Amino acid sequence: MKYQEYGPEQKETILLLHGGGLSWWNYRETAELLQENYHVILPVLDGHAGSDRPFTSIEDNASGIISFIDEHLNGSVLLIGGLSLGGQVLLEMLAQRKDICSFALVESASVIPSRLTHALIAPAFGSSYGLIRNRSFARLQFGSLHMKPELFEEYYRDTCRIRRQDMIAFLKANTAYALKDPLRASSAQIHVFAGTGETGKIRHSAETICRMCPDCTLHWLKGYRHGEFSMRHADRYADTIRQIIRDGSLPA
């Protein structure tokens, strides 16, 4: 597994899992804000730019990160956060290993499969994949992600490096993912974040996660759109992590 590290290894560890089509730099600013007090690891998800293996499934990606934690981090970490596809990988990790972390932050993750969208991904990308190298098209896509403007060059560079088959594979997995029943046994304190400006599917997914999980709190982010919490408001995201670790909760 490829990853970036921040902060001293002797500190407690936080893992942050980026969104689909992005990379570790999704969380770079957050890691820089937390590195004085925590050991922060930013993995590159399978099939993304800089990864050392193709994307096969959310389940395989989750088990690979768990194996990394077993081998290098004594089997568990303090906190794991994940955005969108990264949030789905995190939920799968919680289902596969109930005590993989003490705290989990799930942001903008879909857990309601869409058969129609899933079926359309391969033919749609078969004809339009080449457009990702068109800078004008890339800027339009980038604008829809609500990221800070200074991230465009990294976004464009790494999007161009994702292979067609990997992009199709993780987009199909994203549209097909559903919660696993073992998630109910997770010992982690789970915090789910969703913006009021997101799609109904994401808002419904946030509620679905919290209905299943025994220790889950749902936080609505007023006016926020998909992924905007961690990608545009790293200071608030880092403060949220600090408060959850310190107090175990957030104000309503």
Side-chain angles (χ1 to χ4, degrees), residues 203-235:
R203 298 196 304 272
H204 187 193
S205 291
E207 295 168 340
T208 300
I209 296 165
C210 282
R211 281 197 298 269
M212 175 177 279
C213 299
D215 188 6
C216 182
T217 304
L218 174 55
H219 306 275
W220 293 112
L221 301 165
K222 187 175 181 180
Y224 280 28
R225 296 160 296 183
H226 189 73
E228 203 167 355
F229 185 27
S230 59
M231 290 195 290
R232 288 194 73 94
H233 302 280
D235 50 350

Side-chain angles (χ1 to χ4, degrees), residues 80-124:
I80 305 175
L83 165 64
S84 195
L85 178 66
Q88 294 172 317
V89 173
L90 168 53
L91 289 165
E92 182 63 27
M93 291 172 67
L94 296 172
Q96 291 186 19
R97 178 76 64 80
K98 68 177 183 178
D99 57 353
I100 194 64
C101 61
S102 299
F103 304 98
L105 273 68
V106 180
E107 180 188 357
S108 302
S110 172
V111 297
I112 301 170
S114 173
R115 291 183 180 178
L116 177 60
T117 306
H118 182 268
L120 291 174
I121 285 172

Side-chain angles (χ1 to χ4, degrees), residues 103-246:
F103 304 98
L105 273 68
V106 180
E107 180 188 357
S108 302
S110 172
V111 297
I112 301 170
S114 173
R115 291 183 180 178
L116 177 60
T117 306
H118 182 268
L120 291 174
I121 285 172
F125 272 84
S127 59
S128 64
Y129 174 78
L131 283 173
I132 67 172
R133 290 176 169 77
N134 181 295
R135 289 182 70 88
S136 296
F137 178 80
R139 284 197 179 277
L140 288 174
Q141 291 294 103
F142 179 79
S144 71
L145 296 173
H146 319 302
M147 290 189 283
K148 291 184 175 181
E150 56 266 30
L151 291 174
F152 173 74
E153 290 301 331
E154 285 170 297
Y155 166 81
Y156 178 69
R157 177 200 66 203
D158 285 355
T159 300
C160 291
R161 294 169 63 196
I162 299 174
R163 299 184 308 162
R164 183 200 306 257
Q165 56 266 46
D166 283 321
M167 188 171 289
I168 290 173
F170 69 68
L171 287 173
K172 290 182 72 172
N174 174 264
T175 60
Y177 187 72
L179 297 176
K180 307 293 197 306
D181 196 62
L183 179 64
R184 300 179 191 275
S186 174
S187 62
Q189 182 185 113
I190 301 170
H191 292 265
V192 176
F193 294 86
T196 59
E198 299 204 60
T199 65
K201 181 178 179 181
I202 294 295
R203 298 196 304 272
H204 187 193
S205 291
E207 295 168 340
T208 300
I209 296 165
C210 282
R211 281 197 298 269
M212 175 177 279
C213 299
D215 188 6
C216 182
T217 304
L218 174 55
H219 306 275
W220 293 112
L221 301 165
K222 187 175 181 180
Y224 280 28
R225 296 160 296 183
H226 189 73
E228 203 167 355
F229 185 27
S230 59
M231 290 195 290
R232 288 194 73 94
H233 302 280
D235 50 350
R236 182 180 177 187
Y237 189 81
D239 284 344
T240 296
I241 288 174
R242 294 188 191 100
Q243 185 170 350
I244 287 174
I245 292 171
R246 183 181 68 243

